[in-house]
Each structure stands twice: as C-alpha cells, then as structure tokens.
Amino acid sequence: MTNLWSSMAQRAEPYIPGEQLNKENIIKLNTNENPYPPSPKVIEAISKEVGKDLRLYPSPTMEDLRCSIARYYGLETENVFIGNGSDEVLAFSFMAFFEPGKQILFPNITYSFYPVYAKLFHIPYKEVPLNSDFTVNVENFFHSDGGVIFPNPNAPTSIYLPLEYVEKIVQNNREKVVIIDEAYIDFAPESAVKLVNQYDNLLVIQTMSKSRALAGLRVGFALGNEQLIQALIRMKDSFNSYPIDRLAMAGAKAAIEDQAYFKETTEKILTTRTWVTKQLEALGFKVLPSSTNFVFASHPEMAAEKIYEELREKDMLIRYFGKEPIDNFVRITIGTRKEMEQFIETVGEIVG
Amino acid sequence: MTNLWSSMAQRAEPYIPGEQLNKENIIKLNTNENPYPPSPKVIEAISKEVGKDLRLYPSPTMEDLRCSIARYYGLETENVFIGNGSDEVLAFSFMAFFEPGKQILFPNITYSFYPVYAKLFHIPYKEVPLNSDFTVNVENFFHSDGGVIFPNPNAPTSIYLPLEYVEKIVQNNREKVVIIDEAYIDFAPESAVKLVNQYDNLLVIQTMSKSRALAGLRVGFALGNEQLIQALIRMKDSFNSYPIDRLAMAGAKAAIEDQAYFKETTEKILTTRTWVTKQLEALGFKVLPSSTNFVFASHPEMAAEKIYEELREKDMLIRYFGKEPIDNFVRITIGTRKEMEQFIETVGEIVG
C-alpha cells in the first residue's frame, strides 16, 4: 500500500538505534549510556513534579531550563535552544540551516544519523574521507557550499579534534553554519562553547543522555548566536510546541545544576577508560585514543564481528558496525569498574 | 543574520500556543486542559519509574504502550503509532502522507497548526468553507488531490460530525489518506477508530492531553492500517529514535488502562458543560452545540475581544482568535464546577 506514502516516506532510510534488550543480568556496553544513575537531586526534582500539574501543558518557551543551561556556560538564555534529545535538535538544525541543492560536508566515518536527515530533507552531502588514522584533515572542511556538521569527539572513532582546528573550520565557513555535535564533549578536553560569542555561524549541540546519565529523559540542547537559536525555535514552533515534558524539564534543570555529582561520575568513567584501554592493549587490541565514554578497538587476530557475536552469546552487548573502513572495529561503552573487569575477563577468553 | 537561515526557516510561520501564565490563583480556561488531575494510578506508575534506569534509553519501538493502546481499542500493536503529543504525530503525518504539489483539503475554521505544517513542508492546501452554522458539507471534501485532514469534533467550533459522514469522506478519497484528528473525541458520541480495519486510507489521531489529563506528559498516538503506521515509524526513525521518555511511557500506559477514573472525570466534565451552556445562554450568549471539553460562544451585545480582555483583567483566561469569521467568538475550556461558577458570575457582571 506504499502508493499511500508520500515521496518523503518512500525515500527515507531510517536510522537503526542500538539494541535495547530487556534481559536481566546483561552487561550493556552498546549504546554509550552512563553506568551511574542520575544525580539524586535529579530524582528528587522529578519526584516533586509528579503530581496534579501534569494535567497542564509545559512551558513552550522553556525559559527556566534555558536559563540554567545558559548560566552553566556563561551565556544568555537567548543563546540556548532545547530539544527532545540531541537527535531532535539535530533534525531541527538540518531543517533550519541546510538547504536542498547546497552540498554539506561531514566525515565519512561519523554519526550515522547525518545521512538519514540529509536524505529525508533532500540535502546533498559529501562524506569527507578521514586520514587513515581516523584524524581530520581540517582543510577538507573549508569553504563548504551548504555548511558543515561533525561530532567532536567523533563517533564512533572516539577521537577529539583540538579546539584550534575546530575554530579554523568555523573561520573558513563564515557564510555557512558549522555544527559541532558535542554529545561526548564532557569526556574530552574542551568544548567549542567558548567560541559561540565570537562566531555567529557556530552552533554547538550537546545532550543530557551521556555525561548527565539521562538517556531515558530525552533532553538535548544547542548553544549559539541568538539568530541561530531563533531559527531553531521557529522550526520547533512549526512542528511541536512542547517537545519537553514537565518531568524532563525538572530533571534536566537539576542535572545541570549539580556540578559536584557530574564531576565525580565523569571522573570515575575517565579512570575506568584508562584502565580498560591498558587491559585491552595487553590483550593485543589496538585501541584508538579516546576522548569519549567509549573506546573503539580492533584485534589483529580476530575479526571484530566474531568478537561482537561471541560476547553477545555471553550476555555482553557491544556495538559492531559492519561497514568499511571500520568493519574490523568494535565500540565498547565504558561501564562501571566491576562491569569492565567482567568484560575484560570474558574478552580475554575470546581472543586468548 | 537571516542569510544563515535555510529557506525552510525563512518561510516558516510558527504556531502560537495559548498562554501559559505562571500566576497563582488564575482561572485558566484557555488551553483545553483537563480540570482534574491525572489518575492516581498514573502518578503511582510514574513514581515507580523515577530512578536509576533513567540512565538508559527508552524503548525505541514502544511495544508495551502500543500494545496497551491497541488492546483498549480492540486493534493490534501494528495499528498503533506513538508520538510526542498529537502535534508531533500530526507533523509526521504531513511528512508521510501529504505531498508537495498535491493540494490537500481542510476546513477554513480549524486547528491553526495545519497551515503551519503545510507551509513548512511545501504542501499546497485549500481551506474549505464551512456552512454558516459551522457544520461541514461533506461533499466539499470528496476527491481531494492530495488528501484530507480535519478535527472531529472540530476546533475551535466544538461541533461534531457524525460518523456516517466521516465515512463518506473516507470512501470518496480511497486513493489518498484521510486524517481524522480526534483530540476531543472522548467528549463526543463516537470515534472513527471502528472504521480503521475497514479503510486502509484512514488515519485516526488522538491525544492523552485532554481526556486523560496528561498535557504535561506529551503523548499522542495514531491508529490506522499497518502500512500507514509503518510510514509514520519511518518518519520517526528518520527524525528522533526516542521521542517518548521512560516516565511518559509509564504514565501513558497507566492512563489508558484506568478506564474507571477516565469515565468518572469525563462524565463530570460533560455534566459541567451542560450546566455552563445553560448559564451562558441565560446570559444571552449564543453557544454552539459542543462535543468537546470547551464551548464556543458569542454575545450579541458585547464584542468577543472585549469579553476576553475584561476576563483577563480579572485573572480568568479564555481564548480569543481575532480572525474572521470567528472574531466574535470566545473559546472557553470547561473547568471544575467551582471554577465555572466563578466564571459565570464574572462573565455575567461583564455582559450584564
């Protein structure tokens, strides 16, 4: 009955998210979730909000949460846009800043949702090849026709591009919007947020799903010049007036305001990442230098797909992308120290 | 800096939602929220879900909630799509079923988000005039070029179109999708859901924001043939994998399963609606026959805008649309009996 589908529905090539198995006792290292629970202050704030006011619409302008995020980054409320996870923010950004007929640029190895948005909205794109060590040659991103988008740190490679290079890309695309997708930035040296007041063509997108342990709550945000934020608000208000519910709004506000808990859990993950990297190297893995809450690794003697499958049989989920040139790599989320000890033991038996 | 905006951002004409004042002691009758709190079972279900699992992504397929909604309506899970409020479901429906270059039809007095979606996605539309008493001449909706969408009951007129006429519109558009936006159907005689298994071109959209008292939670859904639902899923998965968070999912499931509470609160609203209508008529108002949780009324001796403004000064919010031919009407949400007694007293002083 596809003759009832629009051409947009027919041309869509949907994104496939990582598995969400509902199985007990699984070690889930496949979707880069935080192994620690959200801050107790988040739980408290949400619990307070669960009540009769759920009958009322949330604030469509979300001033309160925008103000908290702005304050955290030393920006103004007008510099903040909030969406239903960073995926929705990305979708609105493709709509607001990229144009059918004008080619945009993103890396050939990157978040696989970008080509999905581009195809949906008829935006031509070029997948710019990375260097063979998966680093970026920044000049390849200069003078784009329609704009630039890339994650920093990149996913799934985990590699961070230092801010001075990010800035060069922004400087060499002044007539187009450059979007830095910073889903994993809290595990990396430095955010591009500090450049937002300097460049009116820079949009930085972040999420509460990783470092704030709120994947289940669906809150992402964009930081940029007021004119860019206005365009995103126009997209939201032409699509869905209230994408963030009352509970998510309350939880996200508490999360951004609890810096101590955030710092503590993030540091634990960084410590475990260092430990996991060493252990994997000791087992013969090649591990890319990670600035994220996951590592991207390959083994010289065993195919990545086989490692993935054998772990799966032992109730350990990691992510495998069966796609060149990363088809011999696996992506492993950093769990708790205890989970990672079990993981290292099991993977050691598999490759040993 | 609009030269950084896409043509889509430039042509958008965003929807303007009703005011959400954060003022105490206001009587808020302007956004058709339910005056009663959500079911205690909803509060219980959400409270149980507020915890460490918020670190994990929600289910992207939402099987569990889809199954509950399907069961409630005697359908299959495959017949149910869930979105972030019915507004998001509507947006995905415009994307999935309507086509640039093919004119769609909707009434000239209707939910004002429809032209917003149409402009955003470049879908031409014809605003079909209603009869002078705001009823529908169904033949005007036959043989559309690109599809049909209308609310039933209509908003803001509150008038219900009997199911036999809805069916005629569906029958006379078999090559195109007919969308019935049933945001207010629980306050009306009969849903078109019972026709879903009979017509593969019928999509019914409902929301938890009105009769289920969950405007603050953002859950809407569509019911239709599996092929239509598949198209909506493709749109969602090309836009945002997880638009419904864990808490909203748990709350919505409890809401649809608590039929007793739903019936009790809905009946209270219907009783109050009858009372309010009589009182307004006694004050000289003309009140359209309502099948919704609001009434649409005009007064022969006082301009609607003046009534709206005077009520506003007395901390009572109703909705006024300054637009012909409804510029002498006000839309009044049915609140609790106590709120409506206060309202009737105040409006009596204004028009008296």
Side-chain angles (χ1 to χ4, degrees):
Chain A
M1 204 43 57
T2 53
N3 63 327
L4 289 172
W5 290 12
S6 70
S7 54
M8 192 185 245
Q10 299 198 28
R11 76 171 174 263
E13 294 179 18
Y15 176 76
I16 298 159
E19 298 161 275
Q20 292 291 337
L21 281 192
N22 272 331
K23 213 169 152 184
E24 290 291 315
N25 298 321
I26 208 157
I27 294 190
K28 192 170 177 302
L29 308 174
N30 70 328
T31 51
N32 298 339
E33 287 141 335
N34 200 306
Y36 302 106
S39 154
K41 289 182 183 164
V42 169
I43 305 298
E44 198 188 315
I46 297 175
S47 299
K48 249 191 223 165
E49 193 73 21
V50 183
K52 62 180 171 43
D53 279 359
L54 286 176
R55 73 179 183 86
L56 300 171
Y57 283 98
S59 159
T61 56
M62 304 183 261
E63 295 283 342
D64 205 22
L65 177 56
R66 289 169 69 202
C67 178
S68 290
I69 294 172
R71 202 177 303 131
Y72 178 80
Y73 277 119
L75 296 169
E76 302 297 320
T77 303
E78 292 67 33
N79 300 121
V80 182
F81 174 80
I82 296 166
N84 187 282
S86 60
D87 284 347
E88 191 188 62
V89 180
L90 286 166
F92 287 142
S93 300
F94 270 72
M95 291 163 71
F97 307 120
F98 297 157
E99 188 73 29
K102 301 243 179 195
Q103 189 182 62
I104 61 166
L105 306 177
F106 51 77
N108 65 336
I109 303 163
T110 196
Y111 185 32
S112 46
F113 223 132
Y114 300 160
V116 174
Y117 297 129
K119 280 171 193 157
L120 190 71
F121 296 117
H122 259 324
I123 295 155
Y125 59 91
K126 184 179 165 193
E127 295 178 295
V128 178
L130 296 177
N131 299 322
S132 63
D133 62 353
F134 302 119
T135 57
V136 170
N137 184 349
V138 290
E139 288 175 22
N140 291 345
F141 290 91
F142 289 177
H143 314 302
S144 72
D145 190 26
V148 174
I149 181 165
F150 62 94
N152 194 34
N154 198 7
T157 66
S158 81
I159 293 175
Y160 173 72
L161 182 70
L163 206 52
E164 58 191 286
Y165 297 106
V166 172
E167 187 169 8
K168 279 191 185 141
I169 294 175
V170 176
Q171 283 170 337
N172 285 283
N173 282 282
R174 289 311 304 273
E175 306 302 314
K176 298 294 160 191
V177 177
V178 176
I179 300 174
I180 318 292
D181 178 357
E182 293 191 339
Y184 300 101
I185 197 67
D186 291 325
F187 307 103
E190 212 176 1
S191 167
V193 167
K194 62 160 64 164
L195 303 176
V196 152
N197 281 327
Q198 223 172 315
Y199 298 99
D200 61 15
N201 64 322
L202 168 65
L203 190 78
V204 175
I205 296 180
Q206 296 192 2
T207 176
M208 301 250 175
S209 298
K210 314 294 181 184
S211 57
R212 308 278 170 179
L214 289 174
L217 213 56
R218 319 307 307 128
V219 182
F221 53 93
L223 305 160
N225 178 277
E226 186 179 348
Q227 295 300 324
L228 298 187
I229 299 303
Q230 280 300 326
L232 289 172
I233 291 173
R234 287 170 69 83
M235 294 298 95
K236 172 187 94 65
D237 286 341
S238 299
F239 200 88
N240 182 8
S241 307
Y242 318 91
I244 313 294
D245 67 53
R246 288 179 164 260
L247 306 175
M249 207 112 66
K253 186 171 151 70
I256 201 88
E257 288 174 357
D258 190 354
Q259 295 193 39
Y261 184 86
F262 164 72
K263 207 166 162 247
E264 180 197 327
T265 49
T266 303
E267 276 170 11
K268 278 203 269 187
I269 291 167
L270 297 185
T271 305
T272 309
R273 182 178 77 195
T274 305
W275 182 83
V276 168
T277 303
K278 274 189 200 147
Q279 299 297 314
L280 285 171
E281 284 170 349
L283 292 171
F285 279 91
K286 180 189 165 198
V287 184
L288 300 191
S290 170
S291 294
T292 60
N293 69 337
F294 59 86
V295 291
F296 204 51
S298 69
H299 198 278
E301 278 149 38
M302 189 177 278
E305 188 168 13
K306 192 165 156 62
I307 296 171
Y308 160 78
E309 278 168 3
E310 293 211 11
L311 282 165
R312 201 171 193 285
E313 269 173 36
K314 296 183 171 161
D315 284 343
M316 291 192 183
L317 276 186
I318 60 172
R319 189 102 193 242
Y320 170 67
F321 304 85
K323 184 191 149 186
E324 285 213 13
I326 55 168
D327 55 342
N328 205 28
F329 280 82
V330 289
R331 193 190 71 183
I332 304 151
T333 304
I334 303 299
T336 60
R337 172 68 184 244
K338 202 181 143 202
E339 286 173 325
M340 298 322 282
E341 282 171 3
Q342 279 185 262
F343 167 77
I344 289 293
E345 196 187 316
T346 308
V347 83
E349 288 163 13
I350 291 170
V351 302
Chain B
M1 204 42 56
T2 53
N3 63 328
L4 288 173
W5 291 13
S6 71
S7 54
M8 192 185 245
Q10 299 199 27
R11 75 171 174 264
E13 293 178 18
Y15 176 77
I16 298 159
E19 299 161 275
Q20 292 291 337
L21 281 192
N22 272 332
K23 212 168 151 185
E24 289 291 315
N25 297 321
I26 208 157
I27 294 190
K28 192 170 177 301
L29 308 174
N30 70 328
T31 51
N32 299 339
E33 287 141 336
N34 200 306
Y36 302 106
S39 154
K41 289 182 183 163
V42 169
I43 305 299
E44 197 188 315
I46 297 175
S47 299
K48 248 191 222 165
E49 193 72 22
V50 183
K52 63 180 172 42
D53 279 358
L54 287 175
R55 74 179 183 86
L56 299 172
Y57 283 99
S59 159
T61 57
M62 304 184 260
E63 296 282 343
D64 205 21
L65 177 56
R66 289 168 69 201
C67 179
S68 290
I69 293 171
R71 204 178 302 131
Y72 178 80
Y73 277 118
L75 296 169
E76 302 296 320
T77 303
E78 292 67 32
N79 299 121
V80 182
F81 174 81
I82 297 166
N84 187 284
S86 59
D87 283 347
E88 192 189 63
V89 180
L90 287 166
F92 287 142
S93 300
F94 270 72
M95 292 162 71
F97 306 121
F98 297 157
E99 187 73 29
K102 301 242 180 194
Q103 189 182 61
I104 62 165
L105 305 177
F106 51 77
N108 65 335
I109 303 164
T110 197
Y111 185 32
S112 46
F113 222 132
Y114 300 161
V116 174
Y117 296 129
K119 280 172 193 156
L120 191 72
F121 295 118
H122 259 324
I123 294 156
Y125 60 91
K126 184 179 165 193
E127 295 178 296
V128 178
L130 296 177
N131 299 321
S132 62
D133 62 353
F134 302 120
T135 57
V136 170
N137 184 349
V138 289
E139 289 176 21
N140 291 345
F141 289 92
F142 289 178
H143 314 303
S144 73
D145 190 27
V148 174
I149 180 165
F150 62 95
N152 194 32
N154 198 7
T157 67
S158 79
I159 293 176
Y160 172 72
L161 182 68
L163 205 53
E164 57 191 286
Y165 297 107
V166 172
E167 187 169 7
K168 278 191 185 140
I169 295 175
V170 177
Q171 283 169 336
N172 285 282
N173 282 283
R174 290 310 305 272
E175 306 303 314
K176 298 294 160 190
V177 177
V178 176
I179 301 175
I180 318 292
D181 178 357
E182 294 192 337
Y184 300 102
I185 197 66
D186 292 325
F187 308 103
E190 213 176 1
S191 166
V193 167
K194 62 159 65 164
L195 303 177
V196 151
N197 281 327
Q198 223 172 315
Y199 298 100
D200 61 14
N201 63 322
L202 169 63
L203 190 78
V204 175
I205 297 180
Q206 297 191 0
T207 176
M208 301 250 175
S209 298
K210 314 294 181 183
S211 57
R212 309 278 171 180
L214 288 174
L217 213 56
R218 319 306 309 126
V219 182
F221 53 94
L223 306 160
N225 178 277
E226 186 178 348
Q227 295 300 324
L228 298 188
I229 299 303
Q230 280 300 325
L232 290 172
I233 291 173
R234 288 170 69 83
M235 293 298 94
K236 172 187 94 65
D237 286 341
S238 299
F239 200 88
N240 182 8
S241 307
Y242 318 91
I244 313 294
D245 66 54
R246 288 179 163 261
L247 306 176
M249 207 112 67
K253 185 172 151 71
I256 201 87
E257 289 173 357
D258 190 353
Q259 295 193 39
Y261 184 87
F262 164 72
K263 208 166 161 247
E264 180 197 328
T265 49
T266 303
E267 277 170 11
K268 278 203 269 186
I269 291 168
L270 297 185
T271 305
T272 310
R273 183 178 77 194
T274 304
W275 182 84
V276 168
T277 303
K278 274 188 199 148
Q279 299 297 313
L280 285 171
E281 284 170 349
L283 292 171
F285 278 91
K286 180 190 164 196
V287 184
L288 299 190
S290 170
S291 293
T292 60
N293 69 336
F294 59 86
V295 292
F296 204 51
S298 69
H299 197 278
E301 279 149 38
M302 187 177 277
E305 187 168 13
K306 192 165 157 60
I307 296 171
Y308 160 77
E309 277 169 2
E310 293 211 10
L311 281 165
R312 200 171 194 286
E313 269 174 34
K314 296 184 171 162
D315 284 343
M316 290 193 184
L317 275 186
I318 61 172
R319 190 103 193 241
Y320 170 68
F321 303 86
K323 185 193 148 185
E324 284 213 15
I326 54 168
D327 56 341
N328 205 30
F329 279 82
V330 290
R331 194 190 71 183
I332 305 151
T333 305
I334 303 298
T336 62
R337 172 69 184 243
K338 201 180 142 203
E339 285 173 327
M340 298 323 281
E341 282 170 3
Q342 279 185 264
F343 168 76
I344 288 293
E345 196 188 316
T346 309
V347 83
E349 288 162 12
I350 290 170
V351 302

